[in-house]
Amino acid sequence: MKKTYSLLAHLLRRPAGAWALLLLTTAGGLTGCENETMPVPDQGRDYYPLELGAYRIYDVIDTAYQANVPTVSRFQFREQVDTALEPDATGQPVYRVIRSRRTLATDPWKIDSVITVAVKGQALTEQRNNRRTVELVFPVQEGKTWNINAFNTLDSLTVVNRFYVGANQPFRITRGGQTYQYDQTITTVNDLAQDVNAAYTTVLRTTFARGIGPVYRVRRRFISRCDAVGCNPAFKQQGQSRSEVLIASGK
């Protein structure tokens, strides 16, 4: 008890300046505690950045098959974020991306199509040819699954047909003697166990690089030759294979 009274008396004898310093120190400590915030979990939205004027140029190899005979064409696509449209009904931003095409690097660009990209809650969607697909879901993480056709009528809302693989992994690809590599990527793939068999083949694969966007796309759809004996998947009766490799980007 005597020690308590002695401490109280000692504090009361302090000059006003000491009290002010004590109060400021205490207040600063409290403020510091109040300003501490938990770090926001990484959603991975920078795997598809959307900045007005930004563009990406792809080298495209397109092969069409008819009775197992391939016809190969090669050209370039440029995708450029052209306009930020009015927010949709949910208040989410919507962007118009102009896709242009040219055969040679010296040719002028000609508009090929328009893509509408929107971030809706935890999903990033693309609308091409009046069909909206879910290209990414957030947060981006290994093994996550979703329905790419959740916003169109191709599948029921409960179908799982898209997967994340290779989260935050490096990626490299060579095209035209040039090697392109990225430190952090994520790849989306379709369900090959469901979409590849003796009668038909469907492969949909896209690799996104952090801070850049899509850097590699593959689309393969084939129908095999089938007869009374069975189907021969090595014989492409009809179909198409297209690969797109990012060769330049900027603003």
Side-chain angles (χ1 to χ4, degrees):
M1 183 68 71
K2 289 183 178 180
K3 289 183 178 181
T4 302
Y5 282 126
S6 298
L7 177 59
L8 179 60
H10 174 70
L11 291 174
L12 291 175
R13 287 197 298 270
R14 284 192 172 194
W19 275 106
L21 178 61
L22 179 62
L23 289 174
L24 285 173
T25 303
T26 305
L30 291 174
T31 302
C33 293
E34 289 176 356
N35 287 340
E36 288 181 2
T37 57
M38 296 298 292
V40 178
D42 179 19
Q43 297 289 305
R45 294 177 186 264
D46 56 345
Y47 276 112
Y48 201 129
L50 292 163
E51 184 180 2
L52 291 181
Y55 68 86
R56 295 182 294 268
I57 298 176
Y58 298 89
D59 180 74
V60 184
I61 298 177
D62 188 271
T63 306
Y65 289 86
Q66 192 68 40
N68 211 40
V69 177
T71 301
V72 181
S73 60
R74 191 159 185 170
F75 51 91
Q76 292 183 348
F77 274 143
R78 182 185 67 186
E79 295 177 359
Q80 186 166 24
V81 183
D82 174 70
T83 309
L85 304 175
E86 291 293 327
D88 63 11
T90 64
Q92 301 297 321
V94 178
Y95 298 88
R96 185 176 71 170
V97 178
I98 304 296
R99 172 177 264 197
S100 302
R101 174 173 170 163
R102 67 185 180 187
T103 301
L104 301 175
T106 54
D107 293 340
W109 291 106
K110 295 182 179 180
I111 294 179
D112 175 82
S113 57
V114 176
I115 307 166
T116 302
V117 182
V119 180
K120 293 181 172 292
Q122 297 304 105
L124 182 143
T125 66
E126 288 183 350
Q127 183 165 318
R128 302 169 184 257
N129 301 319
N130 295 319
R131 191 180 79 182
R132 189 190 306 172
T133 55
V134 181
E135 298 299 312
L136 294 173
V137 291
F138 306 111
V140 170
Q141 53 190 218
E142 184 76 22
K144 194 162 190 169
T145 64
W146 69 95
N147 180 5
I148 192 173
N149 296 309
F151 292 99
N152 62 56
T153 59
L154 290 184
D155 296 314
S156 70
L157 295 179
T158 59
V159 171
V160 173
N161 52 23
R162 203 70 169 166
F163 305 82
Y164 279 137
V165 296
N168 297 315
Q169 295 299 308
F171 175 80
R172 61 184 295 168
I173 188 169
T174 300
R175 178 66 67 91
Q178 177 72 35
T179 298
Y180 305 91
Q181 55 187 19
Y182 308 91
D183 294 333
Q184 285 186 294
T185 66
I186 185 72
T187 297
T188 64
V189 296
N190 60 311
D191 186 353
L192 300 182
Q194 173 183 321
D195 294 339
V196 177
N197 56 45
Y200 61 83
T201 296
T202 299
V203 176
L204 306 173
R205 180 186 182 94
T206 302
T207 298
F208 301 81
R210 189 180 284 274
I212 298 174
V215 297
Y216 179 57
R217 294 189 185 105
V218 174
R219 300 289 186 272
R220 299 191 182 103
R221 298 181 189 273
F222 304 122
I223 299 174
S224 306
R225 170 180 280 181
C226 298
D227 53 28
V229 177
C231 296
N232 179 8
F235 192 102
K236 299 177 179 62
Q237 182 64 37
Q238 186 178 355
Q240 183 184 32
S241 174
R242 174 180 288 181
S243 67
E244 304 175 14
V245 175
L246 181 73
I247 59 173
S249 61
K251 182 179 178 182

